Amino acid sequence: MERVNARLAVLSAHLEVPDPMPAAIEPWFTSSVAAPHGSLMGNLTIVDERTGKKYHVSVSEDGTVRSTDLKKITRGKDDKGLKLYDPGYLNTAPVRSSISYIDGDEGILRYRGYPIEELAESSTFLEVAYLLIYGNLPSQRQLANLEFAVSQHSAVPLGLLDIIQSIPHDAHPSGAFVSAMSTLSLFHPDANPSHMLIPIVCMQGQDIYKSKQVRDKQIFRVLGQAPTIAANAFLRTSGKPPVLPSSNLSYAENLLYMLDSMGNKSYKPNPRLARVLDIIFILHAEHEMNCSTAAARHLASSGVDVYTAIAGAVGALYGPLHGGAVEAVSKMLSEIGTVENIPDFIECVKNKKRRMSGFGHRVYKNYDPRAKVVKKLAYEVFSIVGKDPLIEVAVALEKAAVSDEYFVKRKLYPNVDFYSGLVYRAMGIPPQFIAVPRMAGYLAHWLESLDDPDTKIMRPQQAYTGVWLRHYAPVK
């Protein structure tokens, strides 16, 4: 009865006077605190010791310099100017963004200024998705509208289900998810700038995303259909029949329903497990300019449709050094097996014979704040489904590592992947499903890039190291 009443409340709110999604961030919903460092604006004076010349470079309020300003530092007419060599983009900011903030030294992660711990404690995934995409937490009516719209767009085109069913049964679920997500652009040509190009007015296709209605519809489609695609891709690779979403379940409940119900419409997911999944989705929703998010913005800069851009991002997330790390942790703990084997494993890691998955992070040089939350969730899940013996291995491995000078000196601490794998495993959820909540972050960055006047098609430079010049000679 509670579920019915909750659903009626959503429907009632939707039937009231429409309260559209905001066109921009509304500052009266925020209580802002100024950055502790204040403005970093100023100027740099650079002395080129090769020529003795001095150059002045402006520093912005956020402490950045434009890399193109360095092109004027040149040794002569044959020198095209300085370039920044930055493999892996260790210190390159290709965009200015207001979506999320990370302080890796202090172990801080915030979504639009809100600490991740507060959101995980009190919010829901769709509420956080709204926050990330539109800039502020929603009103009750706005949240009801989003929940209704996402639910209405949760069914995928029948042709897409046929494509999923044609995927080899032994395919990797992530590969199936990437393929299905990219195919959505074929089923929605009305939202594809390339399909909408008209030769006489060549820019008309790119202009379709200037429409707020078009943007919102793609957001609802992606958020609504991602769980359905992910669940049915996994069911296909598990040899199980497809299951369609239910219209009277929450976002997390729906995913559990599709995974576990076998099509039994009376099946009800455990509400405590659904809440755990909802929190994990909040933790995985966004993480600044990581590999997959950068891929999404890189692709979107070409003007491609949102489905192709997101499919490319999920392809990057698929990699074992990115989202695949969740799966790697479970495999690692299984291989260690027992607490008694940890000392030998630690020595193998130190001797670079083994890799310790779930420890260390490109950004965090402190304890990942998300990892603390997931560790608590693991015990919540085990209290419901039974204790996984590998949790003892995980806790003992963490304790051994954080007290070992080798790891402390290198600032290697558990990241969100370390305990997530155990939680997913206990709930019977494939670890590749972290792609589902990350849709919120990808969509937020896609939307931000559309409105950013600095957005240009991404075209990095290179430092050429090949042969300078040679002439063709025909084979004799």
Side-chain angles (χ1 to χ4, degrees):
M1 181 60 69
E2 289 182 7
R3 195 187 311 281
V4 172
N5 290 336
R7 190 62 187 165
L8 286 174
V10 170
L11 292 170
S12 298
H14 186 75
L15 292 173
E16 292 176 10
V17 178
D19 189 4
M21 303 300 173
I25 294 177
E26 299 163 346
W28 54 87
F29 280 129
T30 64
S31 55
S32 60
V33 177
H37 54 65
S39 174
L40 301 175
M41 182 181 292
N43 291 284
L44 294 180
T45 298
I46 300 175
V47 179
D48 187 346
E49 294 186 355
R50 301 171 302 174
T51 63
K53 292 182 179 179
K54 289 185 178 181
Y55 300 88
H56 298 286
V57 176
S58 298
V59 181
S60 70
E61 284 192 7
D62 47 23
T64 60
V65 298
R66 287 194 173 271
S67 60
T68 51
D69 287 347
L70 301 182
K71 291 183 70 175
K72 63 187 177 184
I73 303 176
T74 174
R75 197 170 58 178
K77 65 176 183 178
D78 294 327
D79 183 354
K80 304 300 182 182
L82 287 187
K83 296 176 184 174
L84 297 176
Y85 179 60
D86 189 11
Y89 299 142
L90 296 179
N91 194 37
T92 295
V95 301
R96 285 191 169 94
S97 178
S98 61
I99 298 169
S100 65
Y101 170 77
I102 298 173
D103 185 330
D105 294 328
E106 298 298 327
I108 293 172
L109 171 62
R110 296 174 187 150
Y111 293 170
R112 300 284 191 182
Y114 291 94
I116 189 64
E117 298 89 343
E118 291 183 19
L119 295 173
E121 177 71 24
S122 306
S123 190
T124 66
F125 170 69
L126 282 182
E127 187 177 31
V128 168
Y130 187 102
L131 167 69
L132 291 170
I133 294 168
Y134 295 109
N136 287 296
L137 289 171
S139 66
Q140 186 176 10
R141 182 183 297 170
Q142 287 170 332
L143 180 58
N145 283 343
L146 178 65
E147 290 173 341
F148 184 85
V150 169
S151 176
Q152 291 295 100
H153 288 83
S154 61
V156 300
L158 289 178
L160 185 58
L161 282 179
D162 293 338
I163 291 173
I164 292 175
Q165 289 304 301
S166 70
I167 292 172
H169 66 86
D170 57 351
H172 194 283
S174 291
F177 185 91
V178 172
S179 300
M181 182 59 68
S182 65
T183 306
L184 277 179
S185 67
L186 304 180
F187 288 96
H188 302 302
D190 57 311
N192 191 329
S194 296
H195 283 214
M196 298 297 289
L197 280 174
I198 300 175
I200 299 176
V201 189
C202 62
M203 292 299 292
Q204 186 163 337
Q206 293 184 38
D207 286 346
I208 64 170
Y209 287 145
K210 290 183 179 180
S211 164
K212 184 179 178 303
Q213 288 72 27
V214 172
R215 293 183 184 190
D216 284 345
K217 192 166 188 177
Q218 310 329 305
I219 289 168
F220 304 151
R221 281 172 173 168
V222 171
L223 289 177
Q225 295 180 18
T228 308
I229 292 172
N232 281 282
F234 176 71
L235 292 173
R236 168 58 184 164
T237 58
S238 302
K240 299 177 182 178
V243 176
L244 298 178
S246 172
S247 60
N248 64 344
L249 296 175
S250 72
Y251 198 80
E253 285 176 328
N254 227 331
L255 187 53
L256 293 175
Y257 166 80
M258 287 185 282
L259 286 177
D260 301 330
S261 70
M262 294 293 289
N264 178 5
K265 294 184 178 180
S266 64
Y267 176 82
K268 302 297 181 184
N270 185 306
R272 289 170 62 193
L273 291 179
R275 176 55 185 160
V276 167
L277 185 60
D278 206 50
I279 294 172
I280 289 181
F281 276 9
I282 291 172
L283 300 176
H284 282 293
E286 157 65 5
H287 208 233
E288 205 209 49
M289 197 51 52
N290 56 66
C291 177
S292 56
T293 301
R297 292 193 75 140
H298 199 124
L299 288 164
S301 74
S302 75
V304 74
D305 66 274
V306 64
Y307 305 104
T308 301
I310 287 179
V314 177
L317 190 66
Y318 185 1
L321 297 182
H322 195 7
V326 176
E327 186 175 5
V329 171
S330 294
K331 291 180 180 178
M332 176 191 73
L333 294 174
S334 296
E335 290 171 1
I336 294 173
T338 64
V339 173
E340 290 74 24
N341 294 330
I342 289 176
D344 289 340
F345 176 78
I346 291 286
E347 287 304 311
C348 287
V349 172
K350 291 179 180 179
N351 294 325
K352 302 189 184 305
K353 294 180 180 178
R354 293 293 302 272
R355 179 184 178 87
M356 188 150 76
S357 300
F359 263 72
H361 197 278
R362 168 71 70 82
V363 175
Y364 294 110
K365 305 307 175 188
N366 200 324
Y367 209 105
D368 183 340
R370 301 169 300 170
K372 296 178 182 178
V373 179
V374 177
K375 186 176 181 179
K376 293 179 182 178
L377 292 178
Y379 288 103
E380 169 73 5
V381 172
F382 298 150
S383 71
I384 301 169
V385 303
K387 188 176 182 180
D388 187 333
L390 289 183
I391 186 62
E392 295 180 0
V393 178
V395 172
L397 180 59
E398 177 191 350
K399 184 177 180 180
V402 298
S403 60
D404 190 301
E405 184 181 357
Y406 177 90
F407 298 97
V408 174
K409 184 178 179 180
R410 290 164 174 78
K411 298 183 178 180
L412 300 176
Y413 297 93
N415 60 43
V416 69
D417 301 327
F418 189 68
Y419 287 103
S420 292
L422 289 178
V423 174
Y424 278 122
R425 171 175 145 141
M427 294 177 66
I429 297 173
Q432 300 82 17
F433 275 29
I434 64 170
V436 173
R438 192 54 64 86
M439 295 297 128
Y442 296 154
L443 288 167
H445 282 273
W446 172 70
L447 204 61
E448 186 177 64
S449 71
L450 293 178
D451 292 328
D452 185 352
D454 284 343
T455 294
K456 298 177 177 62
I457 184 169
M458 292 196 182
R459 200 331 187 157
Q461 293 283 340
Q462 67 168 15
Y464 179 69
T465 61
V467 175
W468 187 250
L469 177 65
R470 50 185 165 183
H471 298 287
Y472 173 78
V475 177
K476 295 181 180 179

